[in-house]
Amino acid sequence: MSRLVYVLNGPNLNLLGKRQPDIYGHETLADVERACRVLAQELNLEINFHQSNREYEIIDWIHAARESACGIVINPAAFTHTSIAILDALNSFDHPVIEVHISNVHKREEFRHHSFVSLCANGVIAGLGTHGYLLALRGIAALVDAKANTNP
Ligand code: CA2
């Protein structure tokens, strides 16, 4: 059984830690990747960590995950609220998907309250800062381990 998890990040998240720290905090995306890799070791997971400002690249990574991964953690950023294409790609993935938002989108503008991705996510984490990524990895590990224990 694969232990590979794709951690996917949408547009503008390359600016994390460099702008708007009041909303998104001081950690950079490289800090988040480092923390995910440390936790992944503890959880016996492997990680493919990516960020793109282009919708098609995120879709291509989801397609690649179909071939090899046991889970996806995704912060689709603004594509959360607009992208049926990312939802369709995630619907073709047969393993757990956890959606992460650094900010609490429900406390923000109305247009951030709706997520296409939530229609297929097993779980959604919002408002816990970048710690949400680590909780999402723990969530994937728990779901994958539970499945392995029911189908040994
Ligand atoms: O809270 C989140 O994680 C979001 O997915 C972040 C998106 C936003 O469009 C979603 O509604 C909620 C924005 C990502 C932009 O990230 C930046 C980080 C630092 C500086 C500027 C943008």
Side-chain angles (χ1 to χ4, degrees):
M1 174 73 166
S2 158
R3 301 287 295 178
L4 175 64
V5 178
Y6 273 63
V7 182
L8 301 178
N9 294 280
N12 297 307
L13 283 165
N14 52 313
L15 299 177
L16 204 62
K18 298 170 185 169
R19 297 265 187 292
Q20 296 183 265
D22 46 319
I23 301 177
Y24 299 115
H26 290 279
E27 271 193 301
T28 65
L29 199 61
D31 294 330
V32 176
E33 178 172 359
R34 216 169 295 119
C36 284
R37 290 195 182 285
V38 170
L39 179 63
Q41 272 209 323
E42 180 193 311
L43 298 174
N44 189 29
L45 296 174
E46 232 187 289
I47 276 189
N48 271 356
F49 193 100
H50 299 288
Q51 185 275 332
S52 181
N53 297 326
R54 300 174 182 85
E55 193 174 17
Y56 78 86
E57 277 196 300
I58 294 167
I59 292 166
D60 286 350
W61 286 320
I62 295 167
H63 291 176
R66 293 182 62 213
E67 307 297 318
S68 57
C70 65
I72 295 177
V73 171
I74 184 164
N75 182 347
F79 292 150
T80 307
H81 319 296
T82 61
S83 182
I84 295 168
I86 289 176
L87 170 65
D88 285 347
L90 288 170
N91 269 329
S92 76
F93 182 72
D94 290 332
H95 302 288
V97 173
I98 300 193
E99 176 183 350
V100 173
H101 298 288
I102 297 166
S103 64
N104 181 355
V105 283
H106 298 289
K107 252 173 110 175
R108 300 182 65 191
E109 303 95 322
E110 183 114 21
F111 65 83
R112 295 186 203 275
H113 297 182
H114 177 261
S115 164
F116 284 104
V117 169
S118 294
L119 291 169
C120 77
N122 295 70
V124 182
I125 297 168
L128 297 179
T130 55
H131 190 62
Y133 286 82
L134 304 180
L135 295 172
L137 282 177
R138 286 193 187 279
I140 296 277
L143 291 168
V144 168
D145 291 345
K147 192 163 180 203
N149 289 333
T150 52
N151 310 313

